[in-house]
Amino acid sequence: MTPAFITISIFGFLATVLFVAGYFRGATSALTDRQQSHSQTTIERENKARYAVPVVFAVAASAVVIALVGLNPIFVYLGPLLAIVTNAMIGFAFSTTANPDDLFSVGRIRRLPAALFLHAPMSHKKKAHLLGFIQHGVNSHATGMWRHPKDKINWDWSRPPYWQHMAQTMERGLFDAMFIADELAPYNNYQDSSDASVRYAVQCPTHEPSTIVPIITTATKHLGVGVTLSTAFEHPYSMVRRLSSLDHLSNGRIAWNIVSSYSKSEWDAYGQEMTDRSGRYERMEEYMDLCYQLWDSWAEDSIVADAETGIYADPAKVREVDFKGEYFRCRGRSFCFRSPQGRPVLWQAGSSDRGRDFAAKHAEAVFAVHPTVERMRQYTDDLTQRMSGKFNRRPGSVKLIYGLQCIVGESKSHAQEKYERIKSCIPLEGAIAWISGHFGPDFSKYDLNENVRNIEIPGIQGLFDSVIYAKGGQPITVKEAALYYAMGMGMPIVVGTPQQVADTMEFYMDEGGADGFMLIATYTPGCFEEFVDLVVPELQRRGRYRTAYAGSTLRENLLAY
């Protein structure tokens, strides 16, 4: 056996070992992700192929290089390089497969052997957008968190310092925005009363969301604020005035989450009959048409501010809107001059067929809740087709932000302990009261072991689907559905180390089509502090997250990548 053959054999063997080590390193970290988003049958099927493919490819690649040495002595010198490059390229193929079934039905492996050789972040990798999902209340979307020993330690949620600290924490983590959800009145579907909502702090008390916007934006320089405001009980004229004022005060960092009130309690509180869902989108289309006209009524150069002539603004460049529609009428100019963004970033969470069309037409960012990566991918593909096919919108112009709950620990077992402690805070009756309020039926009338699929849902169907598919489509009882939903509104839950959390986020971006994540709160502000301190650096290390803000407005930062 010649020295050349021995040399290249050693290098080929080392390259093979590195390839296989990298592959299995990725496969191991991917397993947790897949267990949370695939059925057990799918996992077992993929496992059968997983162990054979990398070994076959790596050995074959090394064998080819070794054989070449016998043809030309130059391969004594090129052999080691070719062995490494060949194995790296194979790993790269695994890393860039868009369809998990494209490469031998093995599924996509994200932690690659290529990463062992190419230490620099891969520029083609999508970077995540992050938002903190909260409410202006004692409790956000993880029911019972006010009981948690780490919740709001030395903080009063009804006072400015709490919100300033939350905002500064998110800005330190380079979040795009704090996203403020809202509900206009305590849920009263459960036992025809809001007693349970009050008793268990089921999103109650909750204060008006836009009131904390100036507190947040004056404490930060870049962080945006998404505010949920209902179109049901406010005229477009005052809505435009409020949002434009906030956009001015924040120097262009406001987003509007466009909603129509969905719960019986809201309509009861405002003394109105709840409208039929089928007609709400026609009303919202007209609402948006009037809003657009008012936002655009002030030309960019309409303000003259000529002290000599005394002319402040040119009336010819401030259009008077004369609107007569089926639902709204308006005659007048907007009372606010053009704001830094012109109009706020428009956010929507359409999940029904009509809702998806509305989102594809109007939204600049979409918030969606899907418990599995398959459901995410289906939603991504459907919305992308609607945007390009129906509304001729440019790919990438609408960001798809998926809900995610992260419980991060120093180890997997530590994170699991934290998860169990959070679950222990959820009161069952409070959880049932919440799904009653969100989805419409009074679930106190059903057996706790009833399959929720057998129950007709008049409320938010898209969010109810997240409950139905929480167990991969297997039957889920009323009790299970209530406790799951009360944990984090049906969002997928990732429990693990910073590396495992980052693995899952990469998986959802690469396989589910996510452009970013709406991080739902548990105990605050601690859950966001932990994420910023532990997970953000890991995402940055992988080249999957920004290291600085690109612009000064929310829209600029949202569309930067």
Side-chain angles (χ1 to χ4, degrees), residues 428 431-432 435 447-450 452 476-485:
L428 177 58
I432 297 173
I435 62 170
D447 189 283
L448 289 177
N449 294 314
E450 175 76 34
V452 293
I476 184 168
T477 67
V478 169
K479 180 179 179 179
E480 290 174 326
L483 292 175
Y484 174 72
Y485 199 75

Side-chain angles (χ1 to χ4, degrees), residues 173 334 409 499 514:
S334 173
Q499 293 75 23

Side-chain angles (χ1 to χ4, degrees), residues 231-232 258-261 279-290 327-328 348 358 362:
T231 60
I258 309 163
V259 299
S260 64
S261 293
R280 287 186 206 171
Y281 281 106
E282 284 82 359
R283 183 180 181 277
M284 287 177 69
E285 287 287 352
E286 190 172 296
Y287 197 105
M288 295 308 299
D289 186 10
L290 179 49
Y327 301 97
F328 302 103
Q348 231 278 316
F358 185 86
H362 296 282

Side-chain angles (χ1 to χ4, degrees), residues 46-118:
E46 292 181 3
N47 279 344
K48 292 178 181 179
R50 183 195 307 159
Y51 300 103
V53 173
V55 175
V56 171
F57 266 88
V59 171
S62 298
V64 169
V65 174
I66 292 169
L68 289 173
V69 175
L71 300 178
N72 194 319
I74 194 174
F75 285 101
V76 172
Y77 307 102
L78 295 181
L81 177 62
L82 286 174
I84 292 173
V85 169
T86 303
N87 282 283
M89 289 176 64
I90 296 168
F92 184 79
F94 279 98
S95 78
T96 55
T97 304
N99 187 327
D101 295 322
D102 283 350
L103 217 58
F104 300 93
S105 300
V106 172
R108 194 162 183 273
I109 303 302
R110 302 163 319 285
R111 298 287 298 265
L112 318 167
L116 293 173
F117 310 108
L118 308 175

Side-chain angles (χ1 to χ4, degrees), residues 254-302:
I254 299 303
W256 174 27
N257 181 31
I258 309 163
V259 299
S260 64
S261 293
Y262 61 88
S263 73
K264 171 180 173 292
S265 60
E266 295 174 301
W267 294 85
D268 288 349
Y270 280 81
Q272 297 187 30
E273 287 293 321
M274 192 169 182
T275 59
D276 182 68
R277 290 185 65 85
S278 62
R280 287 186 206 171
Y281 281 106
E282 284 82 359
R283 183 180 181 277
M284 287 177 69
E285 287 287 352
E286 190 172 296
Y287 197 105
M288 295 308 299
D289 186 10
L290 179 49
C291 285
Y292 292 144
Q293 293 190 39
L294 290 165
W295 276 319
D296 296 340
S297 63
W298 285 71
E300 291 188 21
D301 60 348
S302 58

Side-chain angles (χ1 to χ4, degrees), residues 352-371:
S352 66
D353 184 65
R354 287 297 308 276
R356 293 185 186 200
D357 271 352
F358 185 86
K361 179 179 179 181
H362 296 282
E364 296 170 82
V366 174
F367 168 39
V369 176
H370 294 287

